[in-house]
Amino acid sequence: MRFDSQGQPLFDSDGLLIVETALAHAASSTTKATSSRPGLIVAAGSYSALHRQYAEVPTTHWPRHIIAPGFIDLHVHYPQTDIIGAPADGLLPWLEQYTFPAETHFSSDSHAQEVAVFFLQELLRNGVTTALVFASSHPESVNALFTQAQQQHLRLITGKVLQDRNSPEGVRDDTEQSLLDTEQLIHRWHQHERLGYAITPRFAPTSSHQQLYGAGELALQYPDTWIQSHVAENLDELRWVKTLYPQARSYLDVYRQAGLLRPRAIYAHCIHLDDADRRLMHDTHTAAAVSPTSNLFLGSGFFDFAAAKHTGMPWALASDVGAGTSFCPLQTMLAAYYVGREGQTKEGLSLAPSTLWWHHTGAGAAALGLHNHIGNLQPGLEADFVVLDPHASPLLSRRSQQANTLQEQLFALIVLGDQRAIAHTHIAPRIALSNAL
Ligand code: GUN
Ligand code: ZN
């Protein structure tokens, strides 16, 4: 399965995906000129249309499976891997009771390495091939995750959390040093192979004005870095921001004033926004990372998919582990469906399964400005893909046999599927990518 330029699904019941490997590339470049590069998709389409042209290419056969783009997780915290499912009264007590204590441990390089290895395995087990990840406030945590991702040749974006106030000892950083550390980490990692750096103020309440504006200056100085933060997740958080930034029109406006809304800026949650905020996101090409399992778990509220649609605000799906309860994109899509669902007592948008799927792949890539590299299966894109098994469990298999359309099959996977349905995750073979993302 792949998508057209409008995000509509294209499906061949008997398909063929051709990938350039380093070996094949070496062989073909000695015999004829080739425009493809190792690690990239050469062709995707129906077997009958393509197989003659690629008769010499060795193939792996996946009968009764679906090959699809790797999932993109647009917002996830790797230092929160060990606190999934920690219950609290809401966001702010949860941060205080579980999150900050857990993140304190990431000053230890060995702890950070151990969790980074597990975290990346968990992404891959769930078919996630690219993620935009919060590290902790310790540079060690960033180095650990980038090191592991580089070894596995993953396309991954992360950054050191900036939080110089309203944070306990152990995670609180120093204003000036935090900005120096950020710049150093940008130089060390950004655009190295498949890695990218995200300037990462945790959220407005935990950054001083000086730190937030400093982050904005770095974002201007390094325009192809990413920005990630949180906005408008919880009503207590909103009231707090109002007292800290009384002059701002809205919570989102705090980030606008600091120069933190621009292409490649991603804000988690975006629940309690108004239409002026949503239009501001649209106009500045800033995207929302929508995390329904997290919002349901913490009782934060419900993302308004209809309002996002009518204002044109870009959005894509995310796990937000550890407030989010699952690494599995199938479960995130199901939660998004529940949250959006129009019902007799609630207006809403009943999202089609292929729309949910697009918002966990191609739309995520577009939000990151990486749609010419990942998020779809088209010639020239990087060969990060998943192989799905619609027969992974007895019930899913039974239901899949009754599916008459692609939409029915995708719904069966979303509703009944879990990690077992991800039969294989394929990462593009190591390639000499140009640094221009
Ligand atoms: N707001 C500030 N920090 C966090 C975090 O770690 N998780 C969530 N869900 N919201 C936040
Ligand atoms: Zn988050």
Side-chain angles (χ1 to χ4, degrees):
M1 181 180 64
R2 59 203 196 282
F3 295 93
D4 69 12
S5 56
Q6 310 301 309
Q8 294 303 311
L10 302 168
F11 180 69
D12 298 294
S13 57
D14 187 10
L16 186 61
L17 179 72
I18 304 286
V19 175
E20 184 85 32
T21 63
L23 253 171
H25 183 74
S28 69
S29 20
T30 56
T31 53
K32 59 177 190 276
T34 171
S35 58
S36 64
R37 284 191 287 124
L40 302 189
I41 294 168
V42 177
S46 79
Y47 180 83
S48 61
L50 292 174
H51 79 281
R52 270 177 221 91
Q53 199 183 340
Y54 298 101
E56 311 285 289
V57 176
T59 50
T60 308
H61 197 202
W62 290 99
R64 302 214 309 164
H65 286 67
I66 298 173
I67 301 178
F71 292 109
I72 295 174
D73 189 337
L74 204 60
H75 179 84
V76 56
H77 299 251
Y78 100 87
Q80 296 174 13
T81 302
D82 293 335
I83 57 158
I84 298 173
D89 278 348
L91 170 67
L92 302 177
W94 175 81
L95 285 173
E96 227 171 89
Q97 290 163 24
Y98 295 104
T99 315
F100 293 151
E103 293 193 11
T104 304
H105 302 301
F106 286 74
S107 60
S108 152
D109 188 49
S110 59
H111 181 72
Q113 294 281 353
E114 192 270 325
V115 179
V117 169
F118 181 87
F119 170 82
L120 293 179
Q121 279 171 352
E122 198 60 22
L123 291 185
L124 294 174
R125 267 196 281 272
N126 284 287
V128 174
T129 49
T130 285
L132 175 62
V133 187
F134 264 58
S136 71
S137 57
H138 316 92
E140 293 85 350
S141 71
V142 178
N143 291 329
L145 188 61
F146 272 140
T147 301
Q148 294 303 326
Q150 190 172 36
Q151 277 176 19
Q152 298 181 50
H153 196 239
L154 301 178
R155 191 175 269 292
L156 181 126
I157 304 164
T158 189
K160 177 205 129 46
V161 172
L162 299 165
Q163 53 179 124
D164 67 349
R165 68 165 169 174
N166 295 320
S167 307
E169 190 74 34
V171 290
R172 191 176 58 250
D173 59 12
D174 171 78
T175 313
E176 207 171 314
Q177 189 59 45
S178 70
L179 298 169
L180 289 171
D181 286 344
T182 297
E183 193 163 19
Q184 255 183 17
L185 289 164
I186 291 172
H187 288 156
R188 176 162 178 196
W189 295 108
H190 183 58
Q191 304 248 21
H192 284 229
E193 300 187 24
R194 302 183 86 195
L195 308 176
Y197 194 85
I199 297 164
T200 307
R202 176 164 220 121
F203 65 158
T206 49
S207 282
S208 64
H209 293 222
Q210 206 188 337
Q211 191 179 50
L212 214 54
Y213 281 71
E217 280 167 28
L218 286 171
L220 190 65
Q221 196 180 338
Y222 298 98
D224 65 352
T225 56
W226 285 266
I227 298 167
Q228 57 177 346
S229 191
H230 299 88
V231 74
E233 176 178 6
N234 169 289
L235 293 174
D236 296 328
E237 171 201 15
L238 246 74
R239 283 188 277 272
W240 194 13
V241 172
K242 191 81 201 147
T243 66
L244 296 170
Y245 292 89
Q247 317 294 3
R249 193 201 73 80
S250 67
Y251 185 173
L252 185 71
D253 200 47
V254 172
Y255 295 122
R256 183 193 62 78
Q257 289 179 2
L260 289 166
L261 303 185
R262 65 151 166 74
R264 298 188 171 212
I266 311 286
Y267 285 82
H269 308 303
C270 299
I271 296 172
H272 308 287
L273 298 183
D274 60 17
D275 276 357
D277 289 324
R278 294 186 184 98
R279 278 191 287 273
L280 178 59
M281 295 205 42
H282 168 264
D283 295 347
T284 55
H285 305 279
T286 301
V290 179
S291 305
T293 73
S294 164
N295 301 153
L296 294 169
F297 186 72
L298 288 181
S300 305
F302 306 97
F303 182 79
D304 190 336
F305 293 96
K309 187 173 182 175
H310 81 72
T311 53
M313 175 174 97
W315 64 273
L317 290 171
S319 69
D320 192 31
V321 159
T325 51
S326 174
F327 276 97
C328 184
L330 300 170
Q331 298 190 8
T332 300
M333 290 190 278
L334 179 58
Y337 180 73
Y338 289 151
V339 166
R341 183 76 168 93
E342 184 170 3
Q344 294 190 328
T345 57
K346 167 177 167 297
E347 288 190 15
L349 208 56
S350 298
L351 297 159
S354 62
T355 305
L356 292 162
W357 218 285
W358 168 250
H359 281 275
H360 226 323
T361 53
L368 294 170
L370 290 174
H371 47 290
N372 291 327
H373 299 272
I374 54 170
N376 207 344
L377 299 182
Q378 298 287 1
L381 298 196
E382 295 162 21
D384 287 348
F385 61 87
V386 290
V387 181
L388 300 152
D389 181 3
H391 304 280
S393 71
L395 181 59
L396 174 59
S397 182
R398 223 178 140 88
R399 180 64 187 88
S400 294
Q401 282 163 41
Q402 304 301 320
N404 294 315
T405 63
L406 176 65
Q407 295 292 352
E408 286 181 15
Q409 178 61 82
L410 295 181
F411 243 144
L413 280 160
I414 289 172
V415 173
L416 299 172
D418 54 32
Q419 202 180 92
R420 289 170 294 174
I422 313 295
H424 178 65
T425 303
H426 184 276
I427 296 298
R430 191 170 287 274
I431 31 180
L433 282 176
S434 80
N435 271 347
L437 280 180

